Amino acid sequence: SSSWGSWRYGMSVIAFLLLNHYQMISVINHSNVETSSSVGEMMENFDFANNPWSVFNTVCAGYRDMLVSMLLKVVAPLALLMLILITHFSTKLLEAMKLLSAAWNPD
């Protein structure tokens, strides 16, 4: 395809490789590998790549229960997927409305 060498595909590949790299760092950080304290602290900064809830303090919000914590970890990706789908279809709807409006009001 002619778009294979486009900048968008290049950026997608870079984003995928960076995410994969940060996820591997997080996996290594949670394994039984001995690291120095500075390396361990640096690797903890990338926990968000595997666990988006690590950004939020769920214990502070009152979610100490293991069952609730696990449910939140399951629901979070689904909520993100719903947000992405709502945004996608909203933009398609707004684009269609704009085209419809342009068809009814030719300038």
Side-chain angles (χ1 to χ4, degrees):
S1 154
S2 63
S3 62
W4 179 253
S6 72
W7 65 271
R8 289 183 179 156
Y9 279 102
M11 295 304 288
S12 298
V13 168
I14 289 172
F16 172 76
L17 290 174
L18 283 174
L19 178 63
N20 190 0
H21 176 74
Y22 292 138
Q23 286 176 333
M24 289 305 297
I25 287 174
S26 180
V27 167
I28 291 169
N29 187 36
H30 290 96
S31 66
N32 291 331
V33 177
E34 292 289 327
T35 60
S36 67
S37 62
S38 61
V39 172
E41 289 173 6
M42 186 270 306
M43 287 183 176
E44 286 178 2
N45 292 328
F46 300 109
D47 275 347
F48 70 90
N50 279 342
N51 181 10
W53 283 107
S54 66
V55 177
F56 305 106
N57 189 352
T58 54
V59 174
C60 181
Y63 300 115
R64 291 188 184 140
D65 186 22
M66 182 68 172
L67 178 63
V68 173
S69 176
M70 291 303 291
L71 285 174
L72 285 174
K73 288 181 182 182
V74 169
V75 171
L78 296 175
L80 181 61
L81 176 64
M82 291 300 298
L83 181 64
I84 290 169
L85 290 174
I86 289 169
T87 303
H88 173 74
F89 289 116
S90 297
T91 56
K92 294 292 183 186
L93 178 65
L94 290 173
E95 182 181 1
M97 290 173 59
K98 182 178 174 183
L99 292 175
L100 184 63
S101 174
W104 282 98
N105 298 320
D107 291 332

